[in-house]
């Protein structure tokens, strides 16, 4: 039953990935709103772009290796029932998959008006490797943390993911659809390879219900705010903020859904 529910989360993530690609990458309308959102990042100023690029520069081979080593040590000290090597292997699978998919998934030029304004228009950018790394690190942390620290691990991991996902767009490295793809890809891989493990048991907590309720309120609030916000004549800033809201809701949903798989140990 537990493995079945984890697979349902994985199938949901896989559907989000496929729909994001089919709608936002392979249709003129999807490319139009995706490119408009990317171009609207200039409204946040050059300083924001530099800050975003500075944040993304922190993600490298050495920093990721140190993070994984730290997570492995935490799992050993806390006596995690789940082998950290399993979670780290899933992490590596996410990163490699993101890079391979970026090479094999084509992005045809269907919206010449906005595509002509983008420097990286000739490059396939779906899904975002940096976002996949961030979401994967978050899920590694969640999967090996003991239940008493699970909520804190999820909050830290989710916050880190949202910072990186927003930064890849604000820095102009990726379109919003790429960030959504990176999040969904990581959630799918971890759902199938890690959270179907029988050392996980499901637990309903008041926190889970509160988190889902709060997530719904935040989503509704952000949507109302975005719709009331004045924007460019073409609505590009509104699309950017709407995508940021969608990225936040997508990442939050999968982290909360997978956090319900709590290790048997305390």
């Amino acid at each position: 039953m537990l493995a079945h529910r984890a697979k349902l989360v994985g199938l949901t993530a896989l559907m989000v990935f496929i729909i994001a690609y089919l709608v936002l990458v392979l249709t003129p309308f999807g490319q139009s709103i995706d490119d408009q959102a990317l171009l609207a990042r200039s409204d946040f100023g050059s300083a924001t772009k530099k800050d975003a690029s500075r944040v993304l520069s922190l993600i490298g081979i050495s920093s990721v290796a140190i993070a994984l080593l730290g997570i492995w040590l935490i799992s050993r000290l806390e006596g995690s029932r789940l082998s950290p090597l399993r979670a780290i292997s899933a992490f590596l699978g996410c990163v490699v998959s993101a890079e391979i998919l970026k090479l094999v998934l084509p992005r045809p030029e269907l919206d010449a008006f906005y595509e002509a304004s983008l420097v990286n228009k000739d490059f396939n950018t779906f899904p975002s490797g940096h976002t996949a790394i961030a979401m994967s690190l978050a899920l590694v942390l969640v999967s090996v943390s003991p239940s008493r620290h699970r909520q804190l691990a999820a909050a830290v991991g989710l916050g880190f993911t949202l910072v990186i996902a927003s930064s890849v767009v604000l820095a102009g490295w990726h379109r919003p659809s790429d960030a959504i793809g990176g999040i969904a890809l990581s959630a799918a891989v971890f759902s199938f390879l890690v959270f179907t493990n029988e050392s996980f048991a499901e637990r309903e907590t008041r926190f889970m219900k509160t988190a889902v309720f709060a997530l719904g309120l935040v989503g509704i609030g952000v949507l109302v705010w975005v719709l009331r916000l004045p924007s460019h004549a073409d609505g590009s800033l509104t699309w950017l903020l709407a995508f940021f809201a969608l990225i936040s809701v997508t990442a939050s949903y999968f982290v909360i859904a997978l956090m319900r798989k709590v290790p048997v140990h305390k």
Side-chain angles (χ1 to χ4, degrees):
M1 177 64 70
L2 296 176
H4 175 68
R5 293 181 179 180
K7 288 177 181 178
L8 286 179
V9 176
L11 289 174
T12 301
L14 187 59
M15 287 179 59
V16 169
F17 181 89
I18 294 174
I19 291 173
Y21 178 69
L22 292 179
V23 175
L24 298 175
V25 178
L26 297 184
T27 68
F29 172 75
Q31 285 195 9
S32 175
I33 61 175
D34 208 17
D35 291 340
Q36 287 181 63
L38 180 59
L39 291 171
R41 76 189 188 281
S42 59
D43 284 14
F44 291 88
S46 58
T48 299
K49 180 180 179 180
K50 292 180 180 179
D51 290 340
S53 298
R54 199 171 294 118
V55 169
L56 295 174
S57 67
L58 298 177
I59 296 183
I61 295 178
S62 57
S63 59
V64 170
I66 292 173
L68 290 175
L69 177 61
I71 292 173
W72 181 82
L73 290 175
I74 291 174
S75 69
R76 294 294 86 188
L77 292 175
E78 295 290 347
S80 173
R81 290 285 297 276
L82 176 70
S83 170
L85 293 179
R86 184 186 183 109
I88 292 175
S89 297
F91 166 82
L92 296 176
C94 287
V95 176
V96 173
S97 297
E99 294 306 314
I100 293 176
L101 289 170
K102 198 180 301 183
L103 294 175
V104 301
L105 293 178
R107 183 184 180 88
E109 187 172 309
L110 302 177
D111 183 63
F113 179 76
Y114 288 105
E115 288 283 328
S117 303
L118 299 173
V119 176
N120 62 345
K121 69 182 181 68
D122 294 328
F123 294 91
N124 297 334
T125 58
F126 184 93
S128 165
H130 276 74
T131 305
I133 289 174
M135 183 68 170
S136 297
L137 282 175
L139 293 178
V140 170
L141 183 60
V142 167
S143 65
V144 302
S145 296
S147 57
R148 63 180 180 275
H149 297 149
R150 178 61 56 87
Q151 297 173 12
L152 176 61
V156 171
L158 178 59
F160 176 66
T161 300
L162 295 180
V163 168
I164 297 301
S166 300
S167 295
V168 296
V169 177
L170 292 175
W173 289 19
H174 283 281
R175 301 170 176 87
S177 62
D178 303 334
I180 295 173
I183 290 170
L185 174 64
S186 299
V189 171
F190 270 81
S191 296
F192 291 119
L193 298 185
V194 175
F195 288 90
T196 54
N197 188 275
E198 290 303 322
S199 66
F200 283 77
E202 189 164 19
R203 177 185 300 172
E204 293 287 349
T205 66
R206 181 176 300 178
F207 172 79
M208 298 303 166
K209 297 178 181 179
T210 303
V212 172
F213 178 72
L215 179 60
L217 289 181
V218 171
I220 294 174
V222 171
L223 179 60
V224 172
W225 174 64
V226 167
L227 292 177
R228 291 174 57 88
L229 190 68
S231 183
H232 297 158
D234 59 3
S236 55
L237 181 57
T238 298
W239 280 120
L240 176 60
L241 296 175
F243 271 120
F244 279 162
L246 182 58
I247 289 170
S248 299
V249 170
T250 302
S252 300
Y253 166 75
F254 287 120
V255 169
I256 291 174
L258 293 176
M259 189 172 64
R260 295 178 65 194
K261 303 297 177 184
V262 180
V264 174
H265 77 287
K266 299 181 180 179

